[in-house]
Amino acid sequence: FTNDPTRYLFGPIRMVSAPFIEGFGTPSWDMLKRRPDLLMFNPATERDGATRGLLKQLANKIRRGKWQTKGCELNPQECPPVELTLLGHSMGAMVSDRILTTLSEELTFKHIIYVGAANSIADFKLSVIPYLREHAQTKFWSYALSEIDETNETYAYDLLSRGSLLV
């Protein structure tokens, strides 16, 4: 109590506000979780999503780790090397998971970096782990808040629930 009195003093207010936050937050979160899928494929138009279309065009320009230019056709030595890094922050890690599962044959990443990833452990296991097994040369880093830092994040003078949206 002496180290963090607001945790106990404002507890009843947080208990009353939690159902409202959960009531509005959960449907929004469910909608956000659907966005990465739409970036890869849009079922309404039955076409590739914007991200998949862009990355497919990028993949068409790279062969065996070299950027294909007009000069490459004449002299393969002139092809500049390409190293790709996939960086996903927050919801971007969810998008990165989809990229790894749908475009792992077309694109090879030298580095994969997740910062404050909002993806689930299940998605991570289905996307990143198999990719790393198939691409042993790829390096992976993940940065996140510690549980203590996450718990100590406060809002509105500690009247609302603690932690980030991920909590």
Side-chain angles (χ1 to χ4, degrees), residues 20-61:
F20 295 105
I21 293 170
E22 286 293 319
F24 291 109
T26 302
S28 298
W29 179 245
D30 290 339
M31 184 174 31
L32 282 173
K33 287 192 311 189
R34 201 170 147 251
R35 293 277 186 201
D37 294 325
L38 293 175
L39 290 171
M40 301 311 284
F41 180 77
N42 188 336
T45 61
E46 296 184 1
R47 297 175 67 189
D48 284 346
T51 300
R52 185 176 183 148
L54 173 69
L55 292 176
K56 280 176 132 181
Q57 288 180 11
L58 176 66
N60 289 335
K61 290 288 196 178

Side-chain angles (χ1 to χ4, degrees), residues 57-118:
Q57 288 180 11
L58 176 66
N60 289 335
K61 290 288 196 178
I62 302 170
R63 278 190 222 118
R64 290 183 293 271
K66 304 271 186 170
W67 187 259
Q68 301 301 305
T69 64
K70 291 183 181 181
C72 290
E73 296 168 6
L74 303 172
N75 185 2
Q77 305 296 352
E78 289 187 24
C79 297
V82 176
E83 291 181 353
L84 297 177
T85 297
L86 182 62
L87 174 66
H89 171 256
S90 191
M91 187 177 145
M94 297 166 69
V95 175
S96 297
D97 286 348
R98 302 315 185 275
I99 291 169
L100 293 173
T101 54
T102 60
L103 296 167
S104 64
E105 299 294 321
E106 291 95 341
L107 292 170
T108 301
F109 297 97
K110 182 164 181 150
H111 307 282
I112 301 171
I113 305 167
Y114 282 11
V115 181

